[in-house]
Amino acid sequence: MANLIYATNVSLDGYMEDENGNFEWTISGDEEFAFWTDFQRSIGTYLYGRRLYESMVYWETASAKPGDQPEVMREFAQIWRAAEKIVYSRTLEAVSSARTRLEREFDPDAIRRLKESEEADITIGGTGLAGQAMSAGLIDEFHLLLNPIVLGGGKRALPDNLLLRLELLGERRFRSGIVHLHYRVIV
């Protein structure tokens, strides 16, 4: 059985996007990129909202030739292309990556069945989509990369009016000041 994991960069005040919808404020040095690449190795399926998919689909065509990109980026692209992807959107007309399907509605029962049938873990991204999964009690783990910045507003990484008890499984500090927090949901 697979775990459903919410993994995201977050500001110190709890936002994953600023008031203009940007997330370029996140720190993404070599150490953090290597962390995300290692993290992705155990993932078999990505669940995306439209906006996150549109930013991640870059990896479908990112060059895999030696010398074109650092090795860690080539590895990330290979891992991303090998995984299944499900995009949830009412407005996206078509997907542009292999191993990808488009769903118009989020169906909690379908996600439960997916978790039961898969062996490799599943990640979910996009605050609206992840919020629906949290409200449905589907999230098993959180991986939050807490960035040393206060945004003062934007799109919250976690929904309001939700109570989840969590157990800290691990933490890691990066030279950049980012702290990775790994939690499991206590049922």
Side-chain angles (χ1 to χ4, degrees), residues 2-52:
N3 285 316
L4 182 59
I5 301 168
Y6 179 45
T8 191
N9 281 288
V10 62
S11 68
L12 188 60
D13 53 346
Y15 297 97
M16 70 159 295
E17 291 179 4
D18 68 17
E19 290 179 327
N20 298 315
N22 297 316
F23 49 85
E24 288 82 17
W25 50 265
T26 61
I27 298 170
S28 186
D30 292 344
E31 186 181 19
E32 293 82 12
F33 199 89
F35 167 82
W36 280 123
T37 300
D38 287 340
F39 173 79
Q40 303 301 326
R41 293 181 200 287
S42 66
I43 306 304
T45 305
Y46 300 112
L47 308 181
Y48 288 134
R50 178 191 55 83
R51 285 193 63 217
L52 184 56

Short mmCIF file of all heavy atoms in Angstrom, two decimals, residues 2-52:
data_model
loop_
_atom_site.label_atom_id
_atom_site.label_comp_id
_atom_site.label_asym_id
_atom_site.label_seq_id
_atom_site.Cartn_x
_atom_site.Cartn_y
_atom_site.Cartn_z
N ALA A 2 0.52 2.21 -0.82
CA ALA A 2 1.30 3.44 -0.96
C ALA A 2 0.86 4.49 0.05
O ALA A 2 -0.29 4.51 0.48
CB ALA A 2 1.11 3.99 -2.37
N ASN A 3 1.80 5.34 0.42
CA ASN A 3 1.49 6.52 1.21
C ASN A 3 1.19 7.68 0.27
O ASN A 3 1.82 7.80 -0.78
CB ASN A 3 2.68 6.92 2.10
CG ASN A 3 2.83 6.01 3.28
OD1 ASN A 3 1.87 5.67 3.95
ND2 ASN A 3 4.06 5.60 3.54
N LEU A 4 0.27 8.54 0.68
CA LEU A 4 0.02 9.78 -0.05
C LEU A 4 0.74 10.88 0.71
O LEU A 4 0.49 11.11 1.90
CB LEU A 4 -1.48 10.09 -0.15
CG LEU A 4 -1.84 11.35 -0.94
CD1 LEU A 4 -1.32 11.28 -2.37
CD2 LEU A 4 -3.34 11.57 -0.92
N ILE A 5 1.65 11.56 0.02
CA ILE A 5 2.56 12.52 0.64
C ILE A 5 2.34 13.91 0.07
O ILE A 5 2.32 14.09 -1.15
CB ILE A 5 4.03 12.09 0.40
CG1 ILE A 5 4.27 10.70 0.96
CG2 ILE A 5 4.99 13.12 0.98
CD1 ILE A 5 5.59 10.08 0.52
N TYR A 6 2.19 14.87 0.96
CA TYR A 6 2.16 16.28 0.56
C TYR A 6 3.53 16.85 0.83
O TYR A 6 3.98 16.90 1.97
CB TYR A 6 1.09 17.03 1.34
CG TYR A 6 0.97 18.51 1.02
CD1 TYR A 6 0.97 18.97 -0.29
CD2 TYR A 6 0.85 19.45 2.03
CE1 TYR A 6 0.85 20.32 -0.58
CE2 TYR A 6 0.73 20.80 1.76
CZ TYR A 6 0.72 21.23 0.44
OH TYR A 6 0.60 22.58 0.16
N ALA A 7 4.22 17.26 -0.23
CA ALA A 7 5.57 17.80 -0.12
C ALA A 7 5.59 19.17 -0.79
O ALA A 7 5.19 19.29 -1.95
CB ALA A 7 6.58 16.87 -0.79
N THR A 8 6.04 20.18 -0.05
CA THR A 8 6.04 21.53 -0.61
C THR A 8 7.04 22.42 0.08
O THR A 8 7.44 22.17 1.22
CB THR A 8 4.62 22.16 -0.52
OG1 THR A 8 4.59 23.34 -1.30
CG2 THR A 8 4.22 22.45 0.90
N ASN A 9 7.43 23.47 -0.63
CA ASN A 9 8.17 24.57 -0.03
C ASN A 9 7.17 25.48 0.64
O ASN A 9 6.07 25.71 0.11
CB ASN A 9 8.93 25.36 -1.11
CG ASN A 9 10.19 24.68 -1.55
OD1 ASN A 9 11.16 24.65 -0.81
ND2 ASN A 9 10.18 24.13 -2.75
N VAL A 10 7.53 26.03 1.78
CA VAL A 10 6.62 26.90 2.51
C VAL A 10 7.41 28.02 3.17
O VAL A 10 8.56 27.81 3.58
CB VAL A 10 5.79 26.08 3.55
CG1 VAL A 10 6.67 25.44 4.58
CG2 VAL A 10 4.71 26.90 4.19
N SER A 11 6.80 29.21 3.22
CA SER A 11 7.43 30.33 3.91
C SER A 11 7.26 30.16 5.42
O SER A 11 6.42 29.38 5.87
CB SER A 11 6.82 31.66 3.46
OG SER A 11 5.47 31.76 3.90
N LEU A 12 8.01 30.91 6.18
CA LEU A 12 7.93 30.82 7.64
C LEU A 12 6.52 31.13 8.14
O LEU A 12 6.06 30.56 9.13
CB LEU A 12 8.93 31.79 8.27
CG LEU A 12 9.12 31.70 9.77
CD1 LEU A 12 9.60 30.31 10.17
CD2 LEU A 12 10.09 32.76 10.25
N ASP A 13 5.79 31.98 7.41
CA ASP A 13 4.42 32.31 7.82
C ASP A 13 3.36 31.46 7.12
O ASP A 13 2.18 31.77 7.16
CB ASP A 13 4.13 33.81 7.69
CG ASP A 13 4.42 34.38 6.32
OD1 ASP A 13 5.10 33.71 5.51
OD2 ASP A 13 4.01 35.53 6.06
N GLY A 14 3.78 30.37 6.50
CA GLY A 14 2.83 29.36 6.04
C GLY A 14 2.31 29.47 4.63
O GLY A 14 1.30 28.84 4.28
N TYR A 15 2.99 30.21 3.75
CA TYR A 15 2.53 30.36 2.37
C TYR A 15 3.41 29.59 1.41
O TYR A 15 4.62 29.47 1.61
CB TYR A 15 2.51 31.84 1.97
CG TYR A 15 1.54 32.64 2.80
CD1 TYR A 15 1.98 33.37 3.90
CD2 TYR A 15 0.19 32.64 2.51
CE1 TYR A 15 1.09 34.09 4.69
CE2 TYR A 15 -0.72 33.35 3.29
CZ TYR A 15 -0.25 34.08 4.37
OH TYR A 15 -1.14 34.77 5.14
N MET A 16 2.78 29.07 0.35
CA MET A 16 3.57 28.41 -0.69
C MET A 16 3.68 29.26 -1.95
O MET A 16 4.48 28.95 -2.82
CB MET A 16 3.02 27.03 -1.01
CG MET A 16 1.70 27.04 -1.72
SD MET A 16 1.32 25.55 -2.63
CE MET A 16 2.54 25.55 -3.88
N GLU A 17 2.86 30.30 -2.05
CA GLU A 17 2.95 31.29 -3.12
C GLU A 17 2.78 32.66 -2.50
O GLU A 17 2.05 32.81 -1.51
CB GLU A 17 1.83 31.11 -4.15
CG GLU A 17 1.92 29.87 -4.98
CD GLU A 17 0.76 29.74 -5.98
OE1 GLU A 17 -0.08 30.68 -6.07
OE2 GLU A 17 0.69 28.72 -6.65
N ASP A 18 3.41 33.67 -3.10
CA ASP A 18 3.20 35.03 -2.61
C ASP A 18 1.88 35.58 -3.14
O ASP A 18 1.14 34.88 -3.83
CB ASP A 18 4.40 35.93 -2.93
CG ASP A 18 4.57 36.23 -4.41
OD1 ASP A 18 3.63 36.02 -5.22
OD2 ASP A 18 5.67 36.68 -4.79
N GLU A 19 1.58 36.84 -2.86
CA GLU A 19 0.30 37.43 -3.25
C GLU A 19 0.11 37.52 -4.76
O GLU A 19 -1.02 37.65 -5.24
CB GLU A 19 0.14 38.81 -2.61
CG GLU A 19 -0.06 38.71 -1.12
CD GLU A 19 -0.19 40.07 -0.45
OE1 GLU A 19 0.45 41.04 -0.91
OE2 GLU A 19 -0.95 40.14 0.54
N ASN A 20 1.20 37.44 -5.53
CA ASN A 20 1.12 37.47 -6.99
C ASN A 20 1.15 36.08 -7.62
O ASN A 20 1.24 35.96 -8.84
CB ASN A 20 2.27 38.32 -7.55
CG ASN A 20 2.19 39.75 -7.08
OD1 ASN A 20 1.12 40.36 -7.10
ND2 ASN A 20 3.32 40.28 -6.64
N GLY A 21 1.09 35.04 -6.79
CA GLY A 21 1.10 33.68 -7.31
C GLY A 21 2.49 33.15 -7.62
O GLY A 21 2.63 32.09 -8.23
N ASN A 22 3.52 33.86 -7.20
CA ASN A 22 4.89 33.45 -7.48
C ASN A 22 5.45 32.56 -6.37
O ASN A 22 5.10 32.72 -5.21
CB ASN A 22 5.79 34.68 -7.62
CG ASN A 22 5.39 35.54 -8.78
OD1 ASN A 22 5.11 35.05 -9.86
ND2 ASN A 22 5.36 36.85 -8.56
N PHE A 23 6.32 31.66 -6.76
CA PHE A 23 7.05 30.86 -5.78
C PHE A 23 8.54 30.89 -6.05
O PHE A 23 9.30 30.06 -5.57
CB PHE A 23 6.51 29.43 -5.67
CG PHE A 23 6.34 28.72 -6.98
CD1 PHE A 23 7.37 28.06 -7.57
CD2 PHE A 23 5.10 28.73 -7.61
CE1 PHE A 23 7.22 27.41 -8.79
CE2 PHE A 23 4.92 28.07 -8.81
CZ PHE A 23 5.99 27.41 -9.41
N GLU A 24 8.99 31.90 -6.80
CA GLU A 24 10.41 32.05 -7.09
C GLU A 24 11.22 32.44 -5.87
O GLU A 24 12.44 32.42 -5.90
CB GLU A 24 10.63 33.09 -8.21
CG GLU A 24 10.21 32.60 -9.58
CD GLU A 24 8.71 32.74 -9.84
OE1 GLU A 24 8.02 33.49 -9.12
OE2 GLU A 24 8.23 32.07 -10.77
N TRP A 25 10.56 32.82 -4.79
CA TRP A 25 11.23 33.19 -3.54
C TRP A 25 11.84 31.98 -2.84
O TRP A 25 12.65 32.13 -1.95
CB TRP A 25 10.25 33.88 -2.59
CG TRP A 25 8.97 33.12 -2.43
CD1 TRP A 25 7.81 33.31 -3.12
CD2 TRP A 25 8.72 32.04 -1.54
NE1 TRP A 25 6.85 32.41 -2.73
CE2 TRP A 25 7.39 31.61 -1.74
CE3 TRP A 25 9.49 31.38 -0.58
CZ2 TRP A 25 6.82 30.56 -1.03
CZ3 TRP A 25 8.92 30.33 0.11
CH2 TRP A 25 7.60 29.93 -0.12
N THR A 26 11.44 30.77 -3.25
CA THR A 26 11.99 29.57 -2.59
C THR A 26 13.49 29.47 -2.91
O THR A 26 13.93 29.87 -3.98
CB THR A 26 11.28 28.29 -3.05
OG1 THR A 26 11.45 28.14 -4.46
CG2 THR A 26 9.81 28.32 -2.72
N ILE A 27 14.22 28.95 -1.97
CA ILE A 27 15.66 28.77 -2.14
C ILE A 27 15.87 27.43 -2.83
O ILE A 27 15.35 26.41 -2.40
CB ILE A 27 16.38 28.80 -0.78
CG1 ILE A 27 16.17 30.18 -0.13
CG2 ILE A 27 17.86 28.49 -0.95
CD1 ILE A 27 16.62 30.24 1.30
N SER A 28 16.61 27.45 -3.91
CA SER A 28 16.81 26.21 -4.66
C SER A 28 18.26 26.10 -5.10
O SER A 28 18.57 26.26 -6.27
CB SER A 28 15.87 26.16 -5.87
OG SER A 28 15.99 24.90 -6.50
N GLY A 29 19.13 25.83 -4.16
CA GLY A 29 20.53 25.61 -4.47
C GLY A 29 20.78 24.14 -4.76
O GLY A 29 19.86 23.31 -4.79
N ASP A 30 22.03 23.81 -4.96
CA ASP A 30 22.41 22.43 -5.28
C ASP A 30 21.99 21.46 -4.18
O ASP A 30 21.53 20.35 -4.47
CB ASP A 30 23.91 22.33 -5.51
CG ASP A 30 24.35 23.03 -6.78
OD1 ASP A 30 23.49 23.34 -7.64
OD2 ASP A 30 25.57 23.30 -6.91
N GLU A 31 22.17 21.86 -2.93
CA GLU A 31 21.85 20.97 -1.82
C GLU A 31 20.35 20.67 -1.77
O GLU A 31 19.95 19.51 -1.60
CB GLU A 31 22.30 21.62 -0.50
CG GLU A 31 22.14 20.71 0.71
CD GLU A 31 22.57 21.38 2.00
OE1 GLU A 31 22.66 22.62 2.07
OE2 GLU A 31 22.81 20.63 2.96
N GLU A 32 19.52 21.69 -1.97
CA GLU A 32 18.07 21.49 -1.96
C GLU A 32 17.62 20.69 -3.17
O GLU A 32 16.77 19.80 -3.06
CB GLU A 32 17.34 22.84 -1.92
CG GLU A 32 17.54 23.62 -0.64
CD GLU A 32 18.85 24.40 -0.60
OE1 GLU A 32 19.51 24.53 -1.66
OE2 GLU A 32 19.22 24.86 0.49
N PHE A 33 18.21 20.98 -4.34
CA PHE A 33 17.82 20.23 -5.54
C PHE A 33 18.19 18.76 -5.41
O PHE A 33 17.41 17.87 -5.78
CB PHE A 33 18.46 20.84 -6.79
CG PHE A 33 17.75 20.42 -8.04
CD1 PHE A 33 16.68 21.16 -8.51
CD2 PHE A 33 18.12 19.28 -8.72
CE1 PHE A 33 15.99 20.76 -9.65
CE2 PHE A 33 17.44 18.88 -9.85
CZ PHE A 33 16.38 19.62 -10.33
N ALA A 34 19.34 18.47 -4.84
CA ALA A 34 19.74 17.07 -4.60
C ALA A 34 18.78 16.40 -3.63
O ALA A 34 18.42 15.23 -3.81
CB ALA A 34 21.17 17.01 -4.08
N PHE A 35 18.34 17.13 -2.62
CA PHE A 35 17.36 16.59 -1.68
C PHE A 35 16.07 16.20 -2.41
O PHE A 35 15.55 15.10 -2.23
CB PHE A 35 17.04 17.60 -0.57
CG PHE A 35 15.83 17.22 0.24
CD1 PHE A 35 15.94 16.31 1.28
CD2 PHE A 35 14.58 17.73 -0.06
CE1 PHE A 35 14.82 15.92 2.01
CE2 PHE A 35 13.45 17.36 0.66
CZ PHE A 35 13.58 16.45 1.69
N TRP A 36 15.52 17.13 -3.22
CA TRP A 36 14.28 16.84 -3.94
C TRP A 36 14.46 15.66 -4.90
O TRP A 36 13.56 14.84 -5.05
CB TRP A 36 13.78 18.07 -4.70
CG TRP A 36 13.04 19.06 -3.86
CD1 TRP A 36 13.35 20.37 -3.69
CD2 TRP A 36 11.88 18.83 -3.05
NE1 TRP A 36 12.45 20.96 -2.84
CE2 TRP A 36 11.53 20.05 -2.43
CE3 TRP A 36 11.10 17.71 -2.79
CZ2 TRP A 36 10.44 20.17 -1.58
CZ3 TRP A 36 10.01 17.84 -1.94
CH2 TRP A 36 9.69 19.05 -1.35
N THR A 37 15.61 15.58 -5.54
CA THR A 37 15.86 14.46 -6.46
C THR A 37 15.84 13.14 -5.70
O THR A 37 15.19 12.18 -6.11
CB THR A 37 17.19 14.65 -7.20
OG1 THR A 37 17.12 15.88 -7.95
CG2 THR A 37 17.48 13.50 -8.15
N ASP A 38 16.54 13.07 -4.57
CA ASP A 38 16.53 11.85 -3.76
C ASP A 38 15.12 11.52 -3.26
O ASP A 38 14.71 10.37 -3.25
CB ASP A 38 17.48 11.98 -2.57
CG ASP A 38 18.93 11.91 -2.98
OD1 ASP A 38 19.23 11.40 -4.08
OD2 ASP A 38 19.79 12.38 -2.20
N PHE A 39 14.39 12.55 -2.86
CA PHE A 39 13.02 12.36 -2.38
C PHE A 39 12.15 11.72 -3.46
O PHE A 39 11.33 10.84 -3.18
CB PHE A 39 12.43 13.70 -1.94
CG PHE A 39 10.98 13.64 -1.60
CD1 PHE A 39 10.57 13.15 -0.36
CD2 PHE A 39 10.01 14.06 -2.49
CE1 PHE A 39 9.23 13.08 -0.03
CE2 PHE A 39 8.66 13.99 -2.18
CZ PHE A 39 8.27 13.50 -0.94
N GLN A 40 12.31 12.13 -4.70
CA GLN A 40 11.45 11.66 -5.80
C GLN A 40 11.69 10.19 -6.17
O GLN A 40 10.84 9.58 -6.80
CB GLN A 40 11.68 12.51 -7.06
CG GLN A 40 11.45 13.99 -6.89
CD GLN A 40 10.05 14.36 -6.44
OE1 GLN A 40 9.08 13.72 -6.80
NE2 GLN A 40 9.95 15.39 -5.65
N ARG A 41 12.81 9.61 -5.77
CA ARG A 41 13.14 8.24 -6.17
C ARG A 41 12.10 7.21 -5.73
O ARG A 41 11.90 6.21 -6.39
CB ARG A 41 14.51 7.85 -5.63
CG ARG A 41 15.64 8.62 -6.23
CD ARG A 41 16.99 8.16 -5.68
NE ARG A 41 18.01 9.15 -5.88
CZ ARG A 41 18.57 9.45 -7.05
NH1 ARG A 41 18.20 8.81 -8.13
NH2 ARG A 41 19.50 10.39 -7.12
N SER A 42 11.43 7.45 -4.61
CA SER A 42 10.46 6.48 -4.11
C SER A 42 9.03 6.76 -4.58
O SER A 42 8.11 6.05 -4.21
CB SER A 42 10.48 6.47 -2.57
OG SER A 42 10.01 7.72 -2.08
N ILE A 43 8.86 7.77 -5.43
CA ILE A 43 7.53 8.17 -5.87
C ILE A 43 7.18 7.47 -7.18
O ILE A 43 7.95 7.50 -8.13
CB ILE A 43 7.44 9.71 -6.04
CG1 ILE A 43 7.87 10.42 -4.76
CG2 ILE A 43 6.04 10.12 -6.49
CD1 ILE A 43 7.10 10.04 -3.51
N GLY A 44 6.00 6.88 -7.23
CA GLY A 44 5.54 6.23 -8.45
C GLY A 44 4.49 7.03 -9.20
O GLY A 44 4.34 6.88 -10.41
N THR A 45 3.78 7.90 -8.49
CA THR A 45 2.71 8.69 -9.10
C THR A 45 2.69 10.08 -8.50
O THR A 45 2.81 10.24 -7.28
CB THR A 45 1.33 8.03 -8.88
OG1 THR A 45 1.37 6.68 -9.36
CG2 THR A 45 0.22 8.79 -9.59
N TYR A 46 2.51 11.06 -9.37
CA TYR A 46 2.34 12.46 -8.94
C TYR A 46 0.90 12.86 -9.19
O TYR A 46 0.37 12.64 -10.29
CB TYR A 46 3.23 13.41 -9.75
CG TYR A 46 4.70 13.15 -9.66
CD1 TYR A 46 5.41 12.69 -10.78
CD2 TYR A 46 5.41 13.37 -8.49
CE1 TYR A 46 6.77 12.47 -10.72
CE2 TYR A 46 6.78 13.15 -8.43
CZ TYR A 46 7.45 12.70 -9.54
OH TYR A 46 8.79 12.48 -9.48
N LEU A 47 0.26 13.46 -8.22
CA LEU A 47 -1.07 14.06 -8.38
C LEU A 47 -0.87 15.56 -8.38
O LEU A 47 -0.33 16.12 -7.41
CB LEU A 47 -2.00 13.65 -7.23
CG LEU A 47 -2.13 12.16 -6.93
CD1 LEU A 47 -3.10 11.94 -5.78
CD2 LEU A 47 -2.56 11.39 -8.17
N TYR A 48 -1.28 16.22 -9.45
CA TYR A 48 -1.03 17.65 -9.62
C TYR A 48 -2.31 18.43 -9.85
O TYR A 48 -3.20 17.97 -10.57
CB TYR A 48 -0.16 17.90 -10.87
CG TYR A 48 1.28 17.50 -10.77
CD1 TYR A 48 1.87 16.78 -11.80
CD2 TYR A 48 2.06 17.87 -9.69
CE1 TYR A 48 3.21 16.44 -11.75
CE2 TYR A 48 3.40 17.52 -9.63
CZ TYR A 48 3.97 16.81 -10.67
OH TYR A 48 5.30 16.47 -10.61
N GLY A 49 -2.34 19.64 -9.32
CA GLY A 49 -3.27 20.64 -9.79
C GLY A 49 -2.72 21.23 -11.08
O GLY A 49 -1.54 21.02 -11.43
N ARG A 50 -3.54 21.96 -11.82
CA ARG A 50 -3.15 22.48 -13.13
C ARG A 50 -1.90 23.35 -13.07
O ARG A 50 -0.96 23.14 -13.85
CB ARG A 50 -4.29 23.29 -13.75
CG ARG A 50 -3.92 23.90 -15.10
CD ARG A 50 -4.94 24.91 -15.59
NE ARG A 50 -5.22 25.96 -14.64
CZ ARG A 50 -4.48 27.07 -14.49
NH1 ARG A 50 -3.41 27.25 -15.22
NH2 ARG A 50 -4.83 27.99 -13.60
N ARG A 51 -1.86 24.33 -12.19
CA ARG A 51 -0.72 25.26 -12.18
C ARG A 51 0.59 24.56 -11.86
O ARG A 51 1.61 24.84 -12.48
CB ARG A 51 -0.96 26.39 -11.18
CG ARG A 51 -1.98 27.39 -11.71
CD ARG A 51 -2.03 28.66 -10.93
NE ARG A 51 -0.76 29.36 -11.02
CZ ARG A 51 -0.22 30.05 -10.02
NH1 ARG A 51 -0.84 30.14 -8.87
NH2 ARG A 51 0.92 30.66 -10.17
N LEU A 52 0.57 23.64 -10.91
CA LEU A 52 1.81 22.92 -10.59
C LEU A 52 2.23 22.04 -11.76
O LEU A 52 3.41 21.98 -12.11
CB LEU A 52 1.65 22.10 -9.31
CG LEU A 52 2.91 21.39 -8.84
CD1 LEU A 52 4.07 22.37 -8.63
CD2 LEU A 52 2.64 20.61 -7.56
#
